[in-house]
């Protein structure tokens, strides 16, 4: 069909007395088409008046569309079964033209940001060659919306602890914080609500307050609101991860940081600038970091097992053998595992990033093979018992060898008996228990109570001889 411009040209050439044959030759069209335009004497392109095959079945198509839950393949099958002669292509074209099952096209929005106004953060799964094996990692990314400065790191999982570690590294990389950090509605940060109604977890709200920003979330279905951070994920996968192998997590994240330095210093066509040059302007508007940034940590309690290890995320870390059976405090940071028994005794291990069922043993925690470990000093409870009642020294020695309880717990129970009960019933019961080799402290306490009842709570008319 001839366009309006072609029709206008035909009428103009005809007005200049150019023959129909010459007009057809110049425009590369048939003389029949030229004659039709001249006969119509109009530049308007005529409307096609062609009946649609699906129009007689319009009502049936609408009903079947609801019954088949929007599946046009099933709608076409049902139409054919009812005797309609209609191709699948004609059906889909009819539905497109009349908006059946088609969402209206919405133009893309545009967001403009001032320097230091917003940073966007999100995560995405990727596959990498790590330690000779292909495995899935969680890529966490942060982008400054004005300068498009990019920073990302990879983690085996992305929990609240990992989120705080990443954001701390990102803010240090950018040397400041923006007014707000845009996130999706992730449970890592969100306590309840979505979009403007989002309420962050108190732990994350306190973290944001420390750096002077606030978390905000986009509305459900409005992922374009965080397009600044969504777009680089494809670039990371196709550029950084393509063809690269990594020896471990430290190597992966170190190369990621170096790649960010390179990319941030490269000219970008879509913004017609270099992010590092725009950052020189934005940096002046970022909020300065606190003078002291505390290390992100996760605190847990553990009981040292009989082998002298504590378990954390399937990995086991050694402690001195004299800590066996004691409860310790475990502080997990980005790079270290600190195991603390009290204010003066602390053990530090290098943190294993993921659950690998490994054992980490420090040489000083085990004596060399064939060499006996030095005899430990007496327990504080043992010293207190012997100081209060020296007659119990032999019984204490037997209790340490033959008690079925953990030695520390048994000594604590015996010290309680020494402090709570009269001396004579206590010593008498201990002598009797030692004579029969009885080291069950619960039975020992019942023996003491019988003696106390008999000697200290006599009724009128009774005597000790009775």
């Amino acid at each position: 069909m001839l366009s309006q411009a072609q029709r206008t040209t035909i009428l103009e050439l005809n007005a200049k007395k150019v023959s129909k044959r010459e007009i057809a030759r110049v425009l590369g069209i048939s003389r029949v088409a030229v004659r039709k335009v001249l006969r119509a004497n109009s530049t308007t392109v005529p409307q096609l008046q062609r009946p649609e095959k699906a129009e007689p079945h319009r009502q049936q198509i609408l009903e079947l569309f609801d019954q088949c839950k929007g599946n046009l393949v099933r709608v076409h099958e049902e139409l054919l079964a009812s005797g309609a002669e209609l191709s699948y292509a004609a059906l889909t074209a009819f539905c497109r033209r009349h908006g059946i099952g088609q969402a209206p096209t919405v133009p893309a929005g545009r967001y403009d940001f001032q320097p230091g106004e917003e940073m966007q953060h999100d995560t995405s799964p990727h596959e990498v060659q790590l330690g000779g094996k292909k495995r899935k990692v969680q890529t966490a990314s942060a982008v400054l919306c004005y300068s498009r400065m990019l920073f990302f790191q990879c983690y085996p999982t992305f929990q609240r602890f990992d989120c705080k570690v990443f954001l701390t590294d990102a803010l240090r990389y950018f040397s400041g914080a923006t007014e707000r950090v845009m996130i999706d509605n992730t449970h890592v940060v969100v306590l309840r609500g979505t979009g403007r109604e989002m309420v962050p977890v108190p732990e994350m709200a306190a973290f944001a307050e420390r750096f002077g920003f606030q978390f905000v979330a986009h509305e459900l279905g409005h992922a374009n609101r965080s397009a600044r951070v969504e777009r680089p994920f494809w670039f990371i996968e196709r550029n950084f991860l393509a063809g690269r192998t990594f020896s471990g997590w430290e190597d992966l994240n170190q190369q990621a940081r170096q790649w960010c330095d390179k990319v941030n210093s490269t000219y970008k066509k879509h913004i017609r600038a270099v992010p590092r040059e725009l950052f020189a302007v934005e940096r002046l508007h970022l909020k300065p970091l606190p003078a002291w940034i505390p290390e992100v940590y996760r605190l847990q309690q553990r009981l040292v097992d009989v082998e002298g290890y504590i378990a954390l995320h399937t990995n086991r870390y050694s402690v001195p053998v004299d800590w066996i059976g004691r409860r310790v405090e475990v502080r997990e940071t980005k790079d270290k595992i600190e195991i603390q028994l009290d204010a003066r005794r602390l053990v530090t291990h290098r943190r294993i990033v993921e659950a690998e069922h490994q054992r980490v043993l420090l040489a000083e925690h085990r004596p060399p093979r064939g060499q006996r470990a030095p005899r430990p000093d007496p327990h504080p409870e043992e010293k207190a018992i012997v100081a209060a009642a020296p007659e119990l020294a032999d019984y204490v020695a037997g209790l340490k060898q033959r008690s079925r309880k953990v030695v520390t717990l048994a000594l604590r129970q015996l010290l309680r008996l020494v402090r709570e009960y009269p001396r004579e019933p206590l010593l008498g019961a201990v002598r009797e228990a030692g004579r029969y080799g009885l080291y069950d402290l619960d039975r020992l306490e019942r023996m003491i109570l019988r003696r106390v009842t008999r000697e200290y709570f006599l009724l009128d008319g009774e005597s000790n001889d009775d």
Side-chain angles (χ1 to χ4, degrees):
M1 181 176 292
L2 300 181
S3 65
Q4 186 175 4
Q6 290 174 315
R7 293 170 181 272
T8 303
T9 304
I10 292 172
L11 294 176
E12 290 177 354
L13 291 175
N14 182 67
K16 294 179 181 179
K17 306 302 182 180
V18 180
S19 66
K20 299 181 183 64
R21 183 186 297 272
E22 185 65 16
I23 294 174
R25 187 187 66 79
V26 171
L27 297 181
I29 58 179
S30 69
R31 283 177 288 172
V32 175
V34 174
R35 282 197 295 268
K36 287 183 178 179
V37 173
L38 295 176
R39 192 180 302 121
N41 195 26
S42 173
T43 60
T44 304
V45 180
Q47 296 291 332
L48 287 177
Q49 300 296 330
R50 184 167 55 191
E52 296 184 273
K53 292 184 177 180
E55 184 61 37
H57 309 286
R58 180 186 182 91
Q59 187 59 36
Q60 187 180 4
I61 291 174
L62 293 174
E63 295 174 356
L64 289 174
F65 188 83
D66 292 335
Q67 295 176 9
C68 299
K69 299 180 179 179
N71 191 323
L72 291 180
V73 175
R74 288 288 301 120
V75 172
H76 184 244
E77 292 175 353
E78 293 296 329
L79 286 173
L80 295 181
S82 64
E85 296 182 358
L86 182 68
S87 67
Y88 179 71
L91 172 64
T92 56
F94 177 80
C95 292
R96 282 196 302 273
R97 284 192 295 268
H98 295 272
I100 300 175
Q102 304 292 322
T105 304
V106 179
R110 180 179 178 86
Y111 298 96
D112 296 316
F113 300 95
Q114 298 301 316
E117 181 180 357
E118 180 173 302
M119 179 179 78
Q120 295 182 1
H121 160 59
D122 201 0
T123 60
S124 178
H126 290 112
E127 287 189 348
V128 302
Q129 288 287 342
L130 190 64
K133 297 180 181 179
K134 180 180 287 187
R135 59 160 303 155
K136 184 173 289 187
V137 303
Q138 293 293 329
T139 303
S141 174
V143 176
L144 294 180
C145 292
Y146 175 77
S147 62
R148 309 297 180 93
M149 284 281 289
L150 169 67
F151 178 77
F152 76 94
Q153 297 281 268
C154 298
Y155 303 89
T157 59
F158 200 73
Q159 301 173 351
R160 202 161 292 149
F161 169 76
D162 305 298
C163 181
K164 292 194 290 186
V165 168
F166 169 73
L167 289 178
T168 301
D169 290 343
L171 295 177
R172 281 174 169 160
Y173 183 81
F174 297 139
S175 302
T178 56
E179 295 179 5
R180 60 177 181 265
V181 174
M182 172 62 67
I183 59 171
D184 60 3
N185 294 278
T186 171
H187 68 279
V188 174
V189 177
V190 177
L191 176 64
R192 64 177 182 272
T194 59
R196 294 183 179 180
E197 305 300 326
M198 186 274 293
V199 177
V201 177
E203 177 184 350
M204 300 305 293
F207 175 81
E209 184 179 358
R210 177 184 301 153
F211 292 97
F213 68 87
Q214 63 177 356
F215 287 107
V216 294
H218 62 68
E219 299 294 338
L220 289 179
H222 291 183
N224 287 341
R225 177 62 180 83
S226 59
R228 291 283 201 278
V229 73
E230 292 286 355
R231 187 172 184 225
F233 284 128
W234 184 90
F235 185 40
I236 292 170
E237 182 176 1
R238 296 293 180 177
N239 189 301
F240 173 70
L241 297 178
R244 279 189 171 91
T245 59
F246 310 96
S247 59
W249 290 101
E250 185 175 354
D251 179 39
L252 169 59
N253 288 326
Q254 182 62 32
Q255 290 194 42
R257 184 182 287 265
Q258 295 173 357
W259 186 80
C260 287
D261 293 338
K262 176 183 176 182
V263 168
N264 291 330
S265 302
T266 306
Y267 178 81
K268 305 297 180 185
K269 291 190 296 183
H270 61 284
I271 61 174
R272 298 181 181 181
V274 177
R276 184 71 66 179
E277 295 176 357
L278 295 178
F279 179 68
V281 176
E282 185 168 25
R283 186 173 182 178
L284 302 176
H285 297 80
L286 295 177
K287 296 184 178 181
L289 298 178
W292 175 71
I293 302 177
E295 194 171 16
V296 178
Y297 67 90
R298 187 160 43 189
L299 199 62
Q300 304 183 49
Q301 300 288 329
R302 288 293 186 271
L303 192 67
V304 181
D305 63 20
V306 295
E307 297 183 18
Y309 291 87
I310 63 101
L312 186 67
H313 310 315
T314 77
N315 300 309
R316 303 178 70 189
Y317 300 89
S318 67
V319 296
V321 293
D322 57 343
W323 291 16
I324 293 177
R326 309 290 292 275
R327 186 170 294 278
V328 295
E329 185 178 81
V330 181
R331 183 186 294 261
E332 178 184 7
T333 65
K334 176 185 175 182
D335 302 313
K336 298 181 297 182
I337 299 294
E338 296 180 345
I339 308 170
Q340 186 171 8
L341 180 64
D342 52 37
R344 294 183 179 84
R345 287 180 284 185
L346 177 70
V347 172
T348 302
H349 288 274
R350 180 185 62 83
R351 176 176 176 256
I352 300 176
V353 177
E354 57 184 329
E356 297 181 351
H357 300 275
Q358 290 190 21
R359 288 192 179 206
V360 182
L361 173 64
L362 298 182
E364 60 267 24
H365 294 164
R366 298 293 183 273
R369 188 176 295 277
Q371 177 181 339
R372 291 187 59 186
R375 185 182 299 277
D377 295 332
H379 292 270
E381 294 82 359
E382 181 180 356
K383 293 181 180 179
I385 293 171
V386 174
E391 300 88 347
L392 302 183
D394 294 337
Y395 188 79
V396 170
L399 179 66
K400 291 169 61 178
Q401 295 178 357
R402 301 174 62 179
S403 174
R404 295 183 179 181
K405 295 184 177 181
V406 177
V407 174
T408 302
L409 300 180
L411 291 176
R412 288 177 183 174
Q413 185 175 0
L414 182 58
L415 178 61
R416 179 181 63 81
L417 300 180
V418 171
R419 290 174 175 173
E420 293 183 356
Y421 293 107
R423 186 181 184 85
E424 290 304 324
L426 171 70
L427 296 179
V430 170
R431 283 194 296 269
E432 183 179 356
R435 186 164 60 251
Y436 293 104
L438 177 63
Y439 293 96
D440 184 348
L441 296 183
D442 295 330
R443 287 191 62 184
L444 176 64
E445 185 171 11
R446 290 196 294 270
M447 294 168 60
I448 297 173
L449 287 172
R450 283 198 297 268
R451 290 175 176 270
V452 169
T453 302
R454 190 167 59 245
E455 297 179 8
Y456 288 88
F457 299 99
L458 297 178
L459 298 177
D460 294 339
E462 296 183 353
S463 65
N464 291 335
D465 298 336
D466 296 338

